[in-house]
């Protein structure tokens, strides 16, 4: 009996240890799901910027504390293949320390509505920020946008489709402009028709298998049967000389959004006379980003969202 009791004690110890260890492993997963935080910031969550077909769309607004002048704004658009992702994960909150307000937005995903719902929502968020600028101490003339992956696609589309009536949608604040003054695109998609053809053609075996279903869900069917819609959803379609400045960051070995498409988009911007910079990350894939590129992004927004002759700054001694 002694050996049985000893065995039971050992089993109990192992079970307790496993439970404790499991709790320790689970903590980082839970932490990643928490809303983004930033020191010395006033945070207002779940501000409703649009109601459409029963959906309530919200944004989180991060602002530096004790700022005397209206703040430039950076709109963060999350990625996730247009079918997942949430505003709570917001790498752009670091820009609060640079004296910018950051608005991290949710938008309708493809299980709720196909394109153009997503860009209509992004434009509605920009209009809402302008309509409520005085309430939240924002500068309506200095709004930039930053997005990753699917969010990069929407950021690029915001940048090139200013004034395109077919993508504006309907609703409140329609008297306000949805144009933005600076665009940062990370691992974005700028030509959906060509991406689809790459993914379903000879290059398909080397590319992410999720591309085809994600594009079809966005467009609402096979792209070869919906070419007009795919073209309408592509930022490269609307490139013109009045587009805002672009900073584009892309991985050299991106198998989800081939760098060749981004290079073509960059070439189109430059040909139109747009102020554009392309940074190709050597050896990196689709998940390009992180602290390495923060100084570059900070300098870009500081250059294009500051007032003439005045740097973006927070109040202080």
């Amino acid at each position: 009996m002694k050996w049985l009791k000893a065995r039971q004690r050992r089993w109990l110890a192992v079970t307790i240890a496993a439970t404790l260890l499991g709790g320790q492993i689970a903590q980082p997963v839970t932490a990643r799901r928490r809303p983004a935080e930033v020191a010395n910031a006033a945070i207002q969550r779940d501000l409703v910027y649009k109601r459409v077909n029963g959906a309530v769309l919200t944004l989180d607004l991060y602002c530096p504390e004790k700022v005397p002048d209206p703040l430039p704004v950076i709109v963060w658009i999350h990625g996730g293949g247009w079918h997942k992702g949430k505003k709570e994960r917001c790498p752009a909150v670091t820009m609060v320390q640079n004296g910018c307000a950051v608005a991290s937005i949710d938008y309708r995903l493809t299980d709720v509505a196909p394109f153009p719902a997503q860009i209509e929502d992004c434009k509605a968020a920009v209009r809402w920020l302008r309509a409520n600028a005085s309430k939240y101490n924002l500068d309506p003339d200095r709004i930039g946008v930053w997005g990753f992956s699917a969010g990069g696609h929407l950021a690029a589309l915001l940048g090139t489709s200013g004034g395109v009536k077919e993508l504006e949608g309907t609703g409140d604040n329609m008297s306000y402009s949805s144009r933005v003054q600076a665009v940062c695109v990370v691992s974005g998609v700028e030509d959906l028709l060509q991406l689809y053809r790459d993914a379903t053609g000879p290059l398909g075996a080397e590319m992410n298998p999720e591309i085809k279903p994600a594009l079809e869900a966005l467009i609402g069917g096979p792209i070869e049967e919906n070419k007009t819609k795919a073209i309408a959803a592509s930022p490269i379609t609307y490139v013109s000389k009045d587009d805002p400045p672009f900073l584009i960051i892309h991985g050299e070995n991106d198998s989800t959004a081939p760098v060749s498409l981004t290079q073509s988009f960059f070439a189109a911007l430059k040909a139109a006379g747009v102020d554009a910079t392309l940074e190709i990350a050597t050896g990196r894939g689709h998940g390009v980003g992180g602290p390495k590129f923060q100084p570059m992004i900070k300098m870009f927004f500081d250059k294009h969202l500051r007032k003439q002759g005045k740097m973006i700054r927070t109040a202080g001694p």
Side-chain angles (χ1 to χ4, degrees):
M1 295 296 293
K2 289 182 178 180
W3 69 268
L4 180 58
K5 290 181 179 180
R7 183 177 180 183
Q8 289 174 332
R9 285 195 297 271
R10 286 195 298 271
W11 179 256
L12 179 61
V14 170
T15 302
I16 293 172
T19 302
L20 291 173
L21 183 59
Q24 292 172 351
I25 293 173
Q27 286 176 2
V29 175
T30 303
R32 286 197 297 271
R33 293 176 182 172
R34 292 174 183 167
E37 300 290 347
V38 62
N40 302 318
I43 306 172
Q44 299 183 73
R45 302 198 186 281
D46 301 320
L47 299 174
V48 177
Y49 74 83
K50 182 178 180 180
R51 299 176 189 271
V52 55
N53 298 330
V56 177
L57 301 174
T58 62
L59 59 82
D60 292 341
L61 186 63
Y62 303 81
C63 296
E65 295 179 336
K66 300 179 182 179
V67 177
D69 302 316
L71 295 161
V73 188
I74 296 173
V75 178
W76 168 256
I77 309 178
H78 68 77
W82 306 284
H83 65 90
K84 61 183 178 181
K86 292 185 177 181
K87 61 181 171 56
E88 282 74 17
R89 188 173 183 180
C90 178
V93 294
T94 57
M95 294 301 298
V96 172
Q97 303 300 334
N98 194 41
C100 292
V102 174
S104 183
I105 70 171
D106 273 338
Y107 52 89
R108 282 174 289 173
L109 302 176
T110 51
D111 62 344
V112 175
F115 183 85
Q118 295 71 30
I119 190 60
E120 289 177 355
D121 297 345
C122 293
K123 286 175 176 282
V126 173
R127 290 196 300 267
W128 183 91
L129 289 165
R130 286 204 164 95
N132 291 275
S134 59
K135 179 178 180 180
Y136 296 104
N137 192 33
L138 309 176
D139 188 333
D141 297 323
R142 295 187 290 160
I143 298 180
V145 61
W146 176 5
F148 169 75
S149 191
H153 159 256
L154 294 170
L157 193 54
L158 262 181
T160 62
S161 69
V164 177
K165 185 177 180 180
E166 293 78 9
L167 301 182
E168 289 294 330
T170 58
D172 298 332
N173 308 313
M174 295 303 294
S175 62
Y176 292 88
S177 172
S178 65
R179 289 181 179 270
V180 293
Q181 283 65 60
V183 182
C184 178
V185 178
V186 182
S187 301
V189 179
E190 299 91 6
D191 187 338
L192 273 63
L193 182 58
Q194 188 58 51
L195 177 62
Y196 186 83
R197 287 174 173 172
D198 286 350
T200 56
L203 296 178
E206 304 173 8
M207 297 176 64
N208 187 337
E210 295 183 5
I211 294 172
K212 182 176 180 287
L215 286 172
E216 290 181 342
L218 177 68
I219 298 303
I223 292 206
E224 290 293 351
E225 298 175 13
N226 295 274
K227 292 180 184 179
T228 301
K229 196 170 183 180
I231 292 170
S234 298
I236 197 169
T237 301
Y238 307 101
V239 170
S240 62
K241 63 181 180 180
D242 62 344
D243 291 343
F246 270 75
L247 171 62
I248 306 168
I249 300 172
H250 211 100
E252 176 187 34
N253 300 327
D254 194 331
S255 62
T256 297
V259 69
S260 59
L261 301 185
T262 288
Q263 290 170 323
S264 296
F265 177 65
F266 172 70
L269 290 171
K270 297 298 286 185
V274 178
D275 181 350
T277 301
L278 173 60
E279 177 71 16
I280 297 178
T282 304
R284 298 289 298 273
H286 190 62
V288 69
K292 175 181 177 181
F293 298 98
Q294 289 290 327
M296 180 185 302
I297 295 170
K298 175 183 177 297
M299 288 179 63
F300 171 75
F301 282 124
D302 188 65
K303 177 181 179 181
H304 296 291
L305 295 185
R306 70 188 181 193
K307 289 185 177 179
Q308 188 67 32
K310 184 175 183 179
M311 300 294 288
I312 298 170
R313 64 175 181 84
T314 56

